[in-house]
Amino acid sequence: MNKILILTASIGSGHIKAAEAVETELRRLLPDAEITTVDFMARRISRIHCFMKDFYLMMLAFVPNLYDVFYKISGGSSGGTLVQNAFAWVMMPVMKKLVRRYEPDLVLCTHPFPEGAASLLRRRHEEHYRLATVMTDYSLHQIWLYPAVDRYYMATEEMRMGMIGHGFAVSTLRVSGIPVAGTLKEMTDKAAVRHAMAIPEGQPAVLLMGGGLGLGGIESNLRDLEKIEKRLTILVVAGRNQRLMERVQDMAYASHHQVLVWGYTDQVHFLMRAADLLITKPGALTMSEAFVLGLPMLLHDPIPGPETENAIYATQHGAAVWLHPREDLAQSVETLLCGDALSEMSRAARGCARPDAAAAIAEDLKTLLSRRS
């Protein structure tokens, strides 16, 4: 019986969603396998890891430019190695405990922190598990790159070519796309979803999201959308941000739009299917889901570093418009709602979609397991 340990990180929701998508396909392909998914940054796993996560989130909330500096430093070949090794050494003891507990044949990581610790442990202690990584970005970055990884799954051919340039073996690289839930490609009946949500026929629906943490200036976006005279349905996902959810509910009462509010919810795919336009930060998983659904995006406030690269990718492919600071949100939305802009962006989004990424990754992992020594 194969034993598979999937390691993710509760830093936002994207890494967890990627892990869940692949786990679902692995359970379908390998029904007898023992599969365990662990949040590597959870307090019950390590208080140190949890502190590091909290510090990371504080950086995003108060000093995003500091993260930009860190991202640039860790992107250089020498600086990147120094930063990577520091994180890997700190986290390796916890990784060792997890490996001793679960005795995996395969370790699959959807975040670079557990990947680094698993790579270091494998090199230092001659562990025999297979190691695979799902990269949840649309650009290549040093922080994902470690030796002793048997498989890398990535979003684009450009990333693969970049890794070849870094000296990685071609046999370890797979352009799979970023894994999303397999149910997304089955959600075809937009009219039925809108009817179930009581969205009036012909009324544009705009979805506001800021990831699982409720980031991204949702309140200010709502205020800006009040400038639009045409009545909209505005769907708001506040995530785990309870204070934001309460404030948005108060704003909904005074709005001339139809404003519907959710906290952290498993109904996001239905909300995305109902929407005509998604206003969000450019998280890679959110973008990947929007691609599959053909949902045009208005992107704003990227976290400096990886999300900036994600925004560049989506806009260059015609699937999104990037709203830069001091640009008028309301005017941009009104422009997009007129004419054929949204239909053209929808076609472009579907052109970027990789709905079968999770299934392709699971198939390749099954092959990798069958070849283990």
Side-chain angles (χ1 to χ4, degrees), residues 157-173:
E157 176 64 21
E158 289 76 14
M159 294 172 70
R160 189 183 79 92
M161 295 304 296
M163 292 190 71
I164 292 173
H166 278 81
F168 285 82
V170 173
S171 61
T172 66
L173 310 178

Side-chain angles (χ1 to χ4, degrees), residues 58-169:
M58 182 182 69
M59 288 170 62
L60 297 187
F62 296 105
V63 281
N65 287 340
L66 182 60
Y67 179 81
D68 191 23
V69 172
F70 168 79
Y71 185 81
K72 290 175 180 176
I73 291 175
S74 65
S77 57
S78 58
T81 301
L82 179 64
V83 172
Q84 288 174 279
N85 285 340
F87 279 109
W89 274 105
V90 168
M91 295 180 171
M92 188 177 67
V94 173
M95 178 62 69
K96 187 173 183 178
K97 290 180 182 178
L98 291 172
V99 169
R100 295 291 182 268
R101 177 178 179 182
Y102 295 107
E103 300 180 336
D105 302 300
L106 167 70
V107 175
L108 174 67
C109 302
T110 65
H111 190 278
F113 286 171
E115 177 202 3
S119 170
L120 182 59
L121 181 64
R122 193 180 186 199
R123 287 177 282 148
R124 298 284 298 182
H125 297 276
E126 298 183 358
E127 297 290 344
H128 297 296
Y129 52 78
R130 295 290 195 179
L131 178 57
T133 297
V134 175
M135 304 168 75
T136 52
D137 287 316
Y138 279 95
S139 62
L140 187 61
H141 189 266
Q142 176 69 35
I143 202 168
W144 285 101
L145 307 185
Y146 287 93
V149 177
D150 298 292
R151 284 288 190 278
Y152 278 101
Y153 302 102
M154 63 209 68
T156 70
E157 176 64 21
E158 289 76 14
M159 294 172 70
R160 189 183 79 92
M161 295 304 296
M163 292 190 71
I164 292 173
H166 278 81
F168 285 82

Side-chain angles (χ1 to χ4, degrees), residues 258-336:
Q258 178 189 26
V259 181
L260 307 175
V261 191
W262 287 261
Y264 191 79
T265 175
D266 60 0
Q267 301 298 307
V268 169
H269 294 163
F270 290 95
L271 304 183
M272 294 177 78
R273 191 70 191 103
D276 299 299
L277 176 66
L278 170 61
I279 302 177
T280 185
K281 293 165 54 60
L285 260 292
T286 298
M287 282 175 34
S288 300
E289 291 171 339
F291 289 158
V292 173
L293 293 172
L295 177 58
M297 290 171 282
L298 183 61
L299 303 174
H300 63 94
D301 294 331
I303 297 172
E307 288 194 353
T308 299
E309 298 297 328
N310 294 341
I312 291 171
Y313 179 86
T315 53
Q316 285 183 341
H317 285 78
V321 170
W322 185 355
L323 188 73
H324 295 277
R326 293 181 295 278
E327 290 186 313
D328 192 308
L329 175 70
Q331 182 178 342
S332 297
V333 171
E334 286 184 304
T335 300
L336 289 173

Side-chain angles (χ1 to χ4, degrees), residues 8-25:
T8 186
S10 52
I11 300 176
S13 59
H15 306 289
I16 295 174
K17 285 184 176 182
E20 291 172 345
V22 178
E23 179 184 356
T24 297
E25 295 299 326

